[in-house]
Amino acid sequence: MPTTTPQRVPQEERSRAMRARLLEATVECLVERGFAGTSTTLVSERAGVSRGAQLHHFPTKNDLVVAAVEHLTVVRGAELAAAASRLPTGVRRTRAVLQVLGDHFASPVFFAALELWVAARTDEALLAAVAPLEQRVGREAHRLVVEALGADESQPGVRELVQATLDLVRGLGLATTISDDARRRGRILDEWAAVLDARLEEHR
């Protein structure tokens, strides 16, 4: 019987896969244990990566967390875009847009980002990394809502209406970290969908 030689995975590919495991493990630790409870040792154990390899890629906790911030930015943008691509058309579209946003701002990915916001408030180096990436996520979310609702921001008050929508769902997401009252959140989004439809119709 002929023998087959196992194919060797290129070093660059192995390195990329290792980094991905470390970043995913970092996000999981942030969600479960918060920023203070996340350590490089814990992350390397969860990722199944040796401490030496982890330190080679990310020498300090901040190096690891900053890379996780960048990773989160990509993941959050991709999740929002994917959800937006599945939105229905018709009279329930506005409510569906709010549901997509509400689900996003009550997701583990958002909670991990929230941990970084809190930590960055008193850590200048972390703030310098987090702030521009959060601005990028905010711009992308704003653009998505404008497109999904067909909102005309050249009309007075429409841009502020879109921003108020994002502030509302973000606030509901923050409330979810304390108690998950899905029924109350649903009623609020039902009412806001009606407000949005009425206001946007005035400008069509």
Side-chain angles (χ1 to χ4, degrees):
M1 179 180 293
T3 58
T4 58
T5 303
Q7 290 186 340
R8 299 189 64 182
V9 180
Q11 175 62 34
E12 184 178 344
E13 187 174 331
R14 291 201 304 273
S15 178
R16 187 164 50 245
M18 186 179 296
R19 283 176 61 91
R21 291 203 306 275
L22 285 165
L23 296 179
E24 290 292 342
T26 303
V27 172
E28 290 171 6
C29 286
L30 287 168
V31 172
E32 294 176 13
R33 296 172 178 263
F35 181 79
T38 296
S39 68
T40 54
T41 300
L42 188 63
V43 168
S44 63
E45 289 175 355
R46 175 167 293 219
V49 172
S50 71
R51 282 282 289 150
Q54 180 256 305
L55 290 171
H56 171 73
H57 288 285
F58 306 107
T60 68
K61 176 179 175 177
N62 262 21
D63 291 331
L64 183 59
V65 169
V66 167
V69 172
E70 296 172 346
H71 173 69
L72 273 176
T73 302
V74 174
V75 171
R76 289 168 67 191
E79 286 187 353
L80 276 173
S85 70
R86 298 189 295 269
L87 284 169
T89 57
V91 294
R92 294 289 294 170
R93 183 175 177 85
T94 299
R95 182 61 179 84
V97 171
L98 295 182
Q99 191 63 48
V100 164
L101 294 172
D103 290 346
H104 173 73
F105 286 110
S107 70
V109 169
F110 174 68
F111 294 154
L114 181 60
E115 284 292 331
L116 299 179
W117 293 3
V118 175
R121 189 178 67 84
T122 55
D123 186 321
E124 290 186 5
L126 191 56
L127 179 61
V130 170
L133 291 168
E134 278 303 320
Q135 290 168 4
R136 189 170 118 198
V137 171
R139 287 193 299 270
E140 182 61 22
H142 189 101
R143 183 192 62 77
L144 182 148
V145 175
V146 169
E147 291 182 359
L149 295 178
D152 182 359
E153 289 196 298
S154 67
Q155 298 295 324
V158 171
R159 180 172 180 79
E160 289 73 20
L161 195 62
V162 170
Q163 194 57 52
T165 299
L166 289 166
D167 289 344
L168 171 65
V169 291
R170 189 181 293 112
L172 291 172
L174 288 172
T176 302
T177 64
I178 298 174
S179 63
D180 186 8
D181 186 354
R183 185 176 299 178
R184 180 184 66 88
R185 187 167 69 247
R187 291 198 302 268
I188 291 171
L189 294 180
D190 286 342
E191 290 300 319
W192 188 246
V195 169
L196 276 176
D197 280 334
R199 288 293 307 276
L200 292 175
E201 189 60 35
E202 295 173 3
H203 300 292
R204 291 194 173 107

